[in-house]
Amino acid sequence: MRRYFSDISLKTCIASVSLAFCVFVPATQVHGQDVVTKEEFGQIMREYLLENPEILIEVQEALERKQQAELAITQQRIISENHEVIYDSPYQIVFGDPNASKTVVEFFDYNCGFCQRALSDMHQLLDTDNDLRFVLKEFPVLGEASLDASRVSMAFSKVMPEKYPEFHVELLGMDGLKDRERALDLAQSMGADREAIVAEMENPDIFEAIQEVYGIANGLGITGTPSYIAGSEVVFGAVGYAQLKQAIDNQTN
């Protein structure tokens, strides 16, 4: 497998190797040898890296492991500190047993094709585990159309809460771009008062709820959809049924 380095990663790796070389340079001075100039040191390091390029991969892998470990600690802290907002927000969709002992939180966007395909993973997990609830968080990251669709969805949840899960499945399952008008058309077709939805869309609580989700996602390192929280573990991407099930099972192990 070919590995690519960003400029930042490469500079980090080279800096780390440079530190290793610095250990030896003072020693040559102590024994009375000539002082190594900056240019000479740079040439030594360059020749060493050209002869041993695999060290960059080793340093990069070590750096990634360290960053992942630090991120995991940060994620656990944020999940703990924001437990109520993450699991019990008034603006969220809940599937499954609301009193289940295991919970998966999904961040989704109505215009995310991967989220659309991940619907089947959620249904399969719920069908095979009666002690599970799915909490779905509006996380519109794919432009203004997605933001408007989410606002309609959240307004619908207040106007017709009993049909909110059905609305979500229908809207997410639609082909093509989901925007304000398509979401409103769907809401109206399901019996909602269109003007009531439009009025509720201006509720400041909706904007605040979306900002809360953005803040949580940012702290957890979530930048795309779908992404999940299972216990203290954050799962990125449409990983499929098997990996999600493993993350859920880890909550009770």
Side-chain angles (χ1 to χ4, degrees), residues 156 159-160 163 185-194 197:
F156 186 92
V159 175
M160 295 189 71
K163 289 191 174 182
D185 288 344
L186 175 61
Q188 188 172 357
S189 73
M190 295 179 65
D193 183 320
R194 192 183 188 96
I197 297 290

Side-chain angles (χ1 to χ4, degrees), residues 161-198:
E162 71 281 0
K163 289 191 174 182
Y164 189 30
E166 180 185 352
F167 175 88
H168 167 74
V169 172
E170 289 292 328
L171 184 59
L172 185 56
M174 283 182 172
D175 293 330
L177 182 69
K178 274 79 80 169
D179 58 12
R180 181 180 186 275
E181 292 308 309
R182 291 194 74 191
L184 283 172
D185 288 344
L186 175 61
Q188 188 172 357
S189 73
M190 295 179 65
D193 183 320
R194 192 183 188 96
E195 294 307 315
I197 297 290
V198 171

Side-chain angles (χ1 to χ4, degrees), residues 120-148:
S120 61
D121 297 328
M122 180 187 73
H123 289 309
Q124 186 177 1
L125 287 164
L126 291 170
D127 288 343
T128 56
D129 191 341
N130 294 325
D131 188 28
L132 175 67
R133 73 170 181 152
F134 245 82
V135 173
L136 302 184
K137 295 282 190 184
E138 306 268 0
F139 186 45
V141 292
L142 297 177
E144 185 176 354
S146 291
L147 177 58
D148 287 342

Side-chain angles (χ1 to χ4, degrees), residues 28-196:
T28 61
Q29 297 174 20
V30 170
H31 288 85
Q33 298 183 18
D34 293 336
V35 174
V36 178
T37 67
K38 179 179 179 181
E39 291 75 17
E40 291 171 333
F41 173 73
Q43 183 61 30
I44 292 172
M45 187 177 72
R46 181 178 183 276
E47 291 175 357
Y48 181 85
L49 292 176
L50 289 174
E51 293 173 2
N52 303 276
E54 67 277 2
I55 195 171
L56 291 176
I57 296 177
E58 295 175 9
V59 172
Q60 176 67 7
E61 289 176 341
L63 175 63
E64 290 175 354
R65 288 193 298 270
K66 179 182 179 183
Q67 290 174 333
Q68 289 170 359
E70 292 173 346
L71 177 60
I73 293 172
T74 299
Q75 289 171 341
Q76 292 173 15
R77 176 181 58 79
I78 291 173
I79 292 170
S80 176
E81 292 176 352
N82 296 275
H83 188 277
E84 184 175 353
V85 174
I86 292 173
Y87 294 102
D88 298 301
S89 169
Y91 286 99
Q92 62 187 25
I93 310 164
V94 178
F95 288 84
D97 182 358
N99 299 312
S101 64
K102 293 173 290 184
T103 300
V104 174
V105 178
E106 178 183 346
F107 295 75
F108 75 94
D109 184 303
Y110 278 114
N111 284 301
C112 168
F114 293 105
C115 298
Q116 189 180 65
R117 290 194 286 274
L119 263 177
S120 61
D121 297 328
M122 180 187 73
H123 289 309
Q124 186 177 1
L125 287 164
L126 291 170
D127 288 343
T128 56
D129 191 341
N130 294 325
D131 188 28
L132 175 67
R133 73 170 181 152
F134 245 82
V135 173
L136 302 184
K137 295 282 190 184
E138 306 268 0
F139 186 45
V141 292
L142 297 177
E144 185 176 354
S146 291
L147 177 58
D148 287 342
S150 284
R151 289 174 59 210
V152 174
S153 174
M154 296 168 80
F156 186 92
S157 74
K158 296 305 176 185
V159 175
M160 295 189 71
E162 71 281 0
K163 289 191 174 182
Y164 189 30
E166 180 185 352
F167 175 88
H168 167 74
V169 172
E170 289 292 328
L171 184 59
L172 185 56
M174 283 182 172
D175 293 330
L177 182 69
K178 274 79 80 169
D179 58 12
R180 181 180 186 275
E181 292 308 309
R182 291 194 74 191
L184 283 172
D185 288 344
L186 175 61
Q188 188 172 357
S189 73
M190 295 179 65
D193 183 320
R194 192 183 188 96
E195 294 307 315

Side-chain angles (χ1 to χ4, degrees), residues 89-91 138 154 204-214:
S89 169
Y91 286 99
E138 306 268 0
M154 296 168 80
D205 290 345
I206 288 179
F207 294 94
E208 182 179 340
I210 291 174
Q211 289 303 315
E212 281 182 349
V213 174
Y214 285 155

